[in-house]
Amino acid sequence: FDGDFFPDVPPYLLLGILGKDTVTGTGPYTHSFALLTTGLPPSFTLSDYNGYEERQFAGMRVEQLDLKYSLDGALEYSAKLLGKKSATATTTTPTFGTVPPFLAWQCAVTIGGVSVPRVAGWDMTLQRKSEVLFAANNSQDPRDIFVGPLQVTGKMTAYFEDNTELTHFLSNDQPAVVITLTQDANTQMTITMSKCAFSKAAVNRSKDYVMLDMEFEAVHNPTDNGPCTVAVKNAVPSY
């Protein structure tokens, strides 16, 4: 499933793929999502109304979360989950929040601690290889859904105004990349990749101006205790 990235509900997916949420503050709350290093991340129950009845899918684990930023809209996400077989359930009444999604103009990027106001687009994928674990448990349902190591990859496009971004690729210096989206003082999301390797860079002349297309991969590091961390400030006390 996919949609706009709202600051309140979609962070459940960050918990689902990273596994650990450390909460600070008394409202607004800051959720520091980081890689869980022991055991599996939490699973969810997904409810789906198909026009006839509602069905629930239990034991769902997040195997992929894609984030996409472009200059002409909101931050978007798409997610893939893997879980157990469905069962009918009582139809629920949906509730809707009032917080708007993160918008394009609310984004700021730093590379190597330096602000980069030239970024014209980026996307990133958090992915964990998943496998259904069947067992002799006298049930059609699997015992669990296993998720493997976390890999974080992405692409970034910047206006080619100097050699700063190209040099990160050519020198393979693997700088810290921090992406921050801010609605106001109480609503914010910060993606931190403390060690980010730019694996490809290509000059893009498809428009009247020149751009640089880059591919990157977040490298596991002791600062993030994994490839990345994501901090979300909002009014939600817990996930």
Side-chain angles (χ1 to χ4, degrees):
F1 54 89
D2 53 39
D4 292 336
F5 199 100
F6 291 82
D8 48 3
V9 177
Y12 273 106
L13 298 169
L14 295 170
L15 175 62
I17 198 155
L18 287 168
K20 182 172 67 174
D21 176 17
T22 302
V23 185
T24 56
T26 56
Y29 306 92
T30 297
H31 301 268
S32 298
F33 297 101
L35 184 64
L36 181 68
T37 55
T38 58
L40 295 174
S43 63
F44 303 115
T45 297
L46 181 66
S47 298
D48 176 47
Y49 182 71
N50 57 24
Y52 167 69
E53 63 182 1
E54 187 161 307
R55 302 192 70 84
Q56 286 188 340
F57 300 79
M60 303 287 287
R61 297 195 193 276
V62 182
E63 60 178 346
Q64 183 171 323
L65 174 62
D66 297 306
L67 299 176
K68 183 178 181 180
Y69 167 87
S70 59
L71 296 177
D72 57 354
L75 178 67
E76 299 176 345
Y77 79 91
S78 62
K80 295 180 181 179
L81 286 78
L82 188 63
K84 299 180 180 181
K85 68 184 183 69
S86 66
T88 57
T90 302
T91 301
T92 55
T93 301
T95 57
F96 302 94
T98 58
V99 181
F102 288 111
L103 300 178
W105 61 271
Q106 297 169 336
C107 184
V109 178
T110 65
I111 300 178
V114 179
S115 175
V116 183
R118 298 177 294 277
V119 173
W122 57 267
D123 60 69
M124 59 186 300
T125 297
L126 294 81
Q127 188 172 23
R128 306 182 72 157
K129 183 179 179 181
S130 303
E131 187 173 346
V132 179
L133 302 180
F134 288 100
N137 58 355
N138 194 33
S139 171
Q140 289 180 312
D141 257 343
R143 176 174 174 78
D144 207 344
I145 308 298
F146 175 80
V147 292
L150 175 65
Q151 183 181 30
V152 179
T153 58
K155 299 178 181 179
M156 184 177 292
T157 298
Y159 300 112
F160 203 139
E161 297 178 3
D162 57 37
N163 286 325
T164 302
E165 287 74 48
L166 181 61
T167 300
H168 288 305
F169 163 69
L170 294 174
S171 62
N172 191 30
D173 56 357
Q174 300 183 5
V177 174
V178 180
I179 300 171
T180 304
L181 295 111
T182 304
Q183 283 190 9
D184 53 46
N186 298 326
T187 312
Q188 187 179 68
M189 182 169 74
T190 302
I191 303 168
T192 301
M193 296 172 283
S194 296
K195 194 174 180 63
C196 188
F198 288 93
S199 56
K200 289 184 180 181
V203 176
N204 182 341
R205 293 184 173 87
S206 63
K207 300 182 182 297
D208 292 337
Y209 44 87
V210 182
M211 307 185 79
L212 184 69
D213 295 334
M214 300 170 286
E215 295 183 13
F216 63 82
E217 180 170 357
V219 181
H220 284 249
N221 65 89
T223 302
D224 298 329
N225 201 28
C228 73
T229 60
V230 183
V232 179
K233 181 187 288 188
N234 59 25
V236 180
S238 64
Y239 285 98

